[in-house]
Protein backbone atom coordinates (compact mmCIF):
# COMPACT_ATOMS: atom_id res chain seq x y z
CA UNK A 1 0.00 0.00 0.00
CA UNK A 2 1.35 3.38 -0.98
CA UNK A 3 2.04 5.79 1.86
CA UNK A 4 2.65 9.49 1.32
CA UNK A 5 4.40 11.94 3.65
CA UNK A 6 4.27 15.63 2.90
CA UNK A 7 6.52 18.45 3.99
CA UNK A 8 7.47 21.99 3.03
CA UNK A 9 4.48 24.03 4.06
CA UNK A 10 4.80 27.27 5.99
CA UNK A 11 3.95 30.94 6.16
CA UNK A 12 5.06 33.42 3.52
CA UNK A 13 4.15 36.88 2.36
CA UNK A 14 2.35 37.44 -0.90
CA UNK A 15 4.72 37.08 -3.81
CA UNK A 16 6.86 34.53 -2.01
CA UNK A 17 7.60 30.93 -2.87
CA UNK A 18 7.35 27.51 -1.25
CA UNK A 19 8.15 24.02 -2.41
CA UNK A 20 6.05 21.16 -1.13
CA UNK A 21 7.42 17.62 -1.07
CA UNK A 22 5.54 14.36 -1.07
CA UNK A 23 7.70 11.32 -0.33
CA UNK A 24 6.23 7.96 -1.25
CA UNK A 25 6.84 4.47 0.07
CA UNK A 26 5.26 1.14 -0.79
CA UNK A 27 5.09 1.93 -4.49
CA UNK A 28 6.74 3.87 -7.28
CA UNK A 29 5.21 7.25 -8.03
CA UNK A 30 6.19 7.05 -11.68
CA UNK A 31 3.79 4.13 -12.10
CA UNK A 32 0.77 6.02 -10.79
CA UNK A 33 -1.37 9.01 -11.50
CA UNK A 34 -0.62 11.70 -8.91
CA UNK A 35 -2.32 14.86 -7.86
CA UNK A 36 -2.15 17.88 -5.62
CA UNK A 37 -5.25 19.22 -3.89
CA UNK A 38 -5.92 21.90 -1.33
CA UNK A 39 -8.60 22.68 1.20
CA UNK A 40 -9.25 26.03 2.80
CA UNK A 41 -11.30 26.33 6.01
CA UNK A 42 -14.99 25.88 5.33
CA UNK A 43 -14.42 24.94 1.71
CA UNK A 44 -14.36 21.72 -0.25
CA UNK A 45 -11.11 20.09 -1.29
CA UNK A 46 -10.15 21.39 -4.70
CA UNK A 47 -7.86 20.29 -7.48
CA UNK A 48 -4.52 22.07 -7.90
CA UNK A 49 -2.45 19.91 -10.25
CA UNK A 50 -2.46 16.37 -11.60
CA UNK A 51 0.01 14.32 -13.54
CA UNK A 52 -0.18 11.18 -15.59
CA UNK A 53 3.47 10.23 -15.94
CA UNK A 54 2.62 7.61 -18.55
CA UNK A 55 1.37 10.21 -21.06
CA UNK A 56 3.03 12.39 -19.71
CA UNK A 57 0.54 15.14 -19.18
CA UNK A 58 0.13 17.70 -16.43
CA UNK A 59 -3.08 19.51 -15.64
CA UNK A 60 -3.20 22.69 -13.54
CA UNK A 61 -5.97 24.61 -11.95
CA UNK A 62 -6.51 27.76 -13.99
CA UNK A 63 -5.69 30.08 -11.09
CA UNK A 64 -2.25 28.49 -10.53
CA UNK A 65 -1.12 28.14 -14.14
CA UNK A 66 2.23 29.83 -14.67
CA UNK A 67 2.86 30.00 -10.91
CA UNK A 68 2.84 26.36 -9.74
CA UNK A 69 4.86 23.48 -11.16
CA UNK A 70 4.46 19.79 -10.36
CA UNK A 71 7.51 17.57 -10.82
CA UNK A 72 8.90 14.23 -9.73
CA UNK A 73 12.30 12.99 -8.61
CA UNK A 74 12.23 9.33 -9.52
CA UNK A 75 15.37 8.22 -7.63
CA UNK A 76 13.95 9.81 -4.48
CA UNK A 77 10.41 8.64 -5.30
CA UNK A 78 9.23 12.11 -4.33
CA UNK A 79 6.68 14.45 -5.85
CA UNK A 80 7.15 18.21 -5.65
CA UNK A 81 4.92 21.23 -6.02
CA UNK A 82 6.88 24.42 -6.61
CA UNK A 83 4.70 27.40 -5.79
CA UNK A 84 5.80 30.86 -6.88
CA UNK A 85 4.13 34.27 -6.74
CA UNK A 86 1.93 33.07 -3.93
CA UNK A 87 -1.30 34.91 -3.20
CA UNK A 88 -3.41 35.08 -0.03
CA UNK A 89 -6.10 33.05 -1.81
CA UNK A 90 -3.61 30.17 -2.05
CA UNK A 91 -3.84 29.74 1.72
CA UNK A 92 -5.00 26.20 2.47
CA UNK A 93 -3.93 22.77 3.61
CA UNK A 94 -2.26 21.07 0.64
CA UNK A 95 -2.48 17.34 0.01
CA UNK A 96 -0.74 15.03 -2.39
CA UNK A 97 -2.64 12.01 -3.66
CA UNK A 98 -2.05 8.91 -5.72
CA UNK A 99 -4.35 6.86 -7.89
CA UNK A 100 -3.12 3.27 -8.06
CA UNK A 101 -6.02 1.93 -10.10
CA UNK A 102 -5.69 1.59 -13.85
CA UNK A 103 -8.12 2.78 -16.47
CA UNK A 104 -9.68 6.09 -17.29
CA UNK A 105 -10.27 8.67 -14.62
CA UNK A 106 -11.06 12.30 -13.96
CA UNK A 107 -7.78 13.81 -12.70
CA UNK A 108 -9.46 16.80 -11.08
CA UNK A 109 -11.76 14.77 -8.82
CA UNK A 110 -10.52 13.91 -5.31
CA UNK A 111 -12.65 10.75 -5.27
CA UNK A 112 -10.50 9.25 -8.05
CA UNK A 113 -7.47 8.95 -5.75
CA UNK A 114 -6.97 6.16 -3.25
CA UNK A 115 -3.95 7.24 -1.20
CA UNK A 116 -3.43 10.60 0.46
CA UNK A 117 -0.75 12.44 2.37
CA UNK A 118 -1.47 13.95 5.75
CA UNK A 119 -1.56 17.50 4.42
CA UNK A 120 0.67 20.49 5.00
CA UNK A 121 -0.46 24.03 5.85
CA UNK A 122 0.37 26.88 3.49
CA UNK A 123 -0.40 30.39 4.74
CA UNK A 124 0.10 33.45 2.54
CA UNK A 125 -0.23 36.86 4.14
CA UNK A 126 -0.89 40.10 2.29
Amino acid sequence: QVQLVESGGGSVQAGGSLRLSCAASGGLLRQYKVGWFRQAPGKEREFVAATNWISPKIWYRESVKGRFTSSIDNPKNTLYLQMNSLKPEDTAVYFCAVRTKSGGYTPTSPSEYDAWGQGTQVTVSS
Side-chain angles (χ1 to χ4, degrees), residues 18-30:
L18 285 172
R19 188 178 77 159
L20 306 183
S21 300
C22 175
S25 60
L28 296 176
L29 284 174
R30 66 174 182 265

Side-chain angles (χ1 to χ4, degrees), residues 47-93:
F47 159 77
V48 175
T51 305
N52 180 349
W53 302 116
I54 299 174
S55 297
K57 182 174 176 61
I58 304 178
W59 297 268
Y60 291 101
R61 183 176 193 82
E62 191 63 35
S63 62
V64 308
K65 283 182 180 177
R67 300 189 297 123
F68 290 13
T69 303
S70 178
S71 63
I72 189 172
D73 185 327
N74 284 317
K76 293 183 178 179
N77 204 27
T78 299
L79 180 69
Y80 298 101
L81 184 68
Q82 177 67 45
M83 305 185 295
N84 299 327
S85 301
L86 282 161
K87 304 175 180 180
E89 51 264 41
D90 294 320
T91 295
V93 177

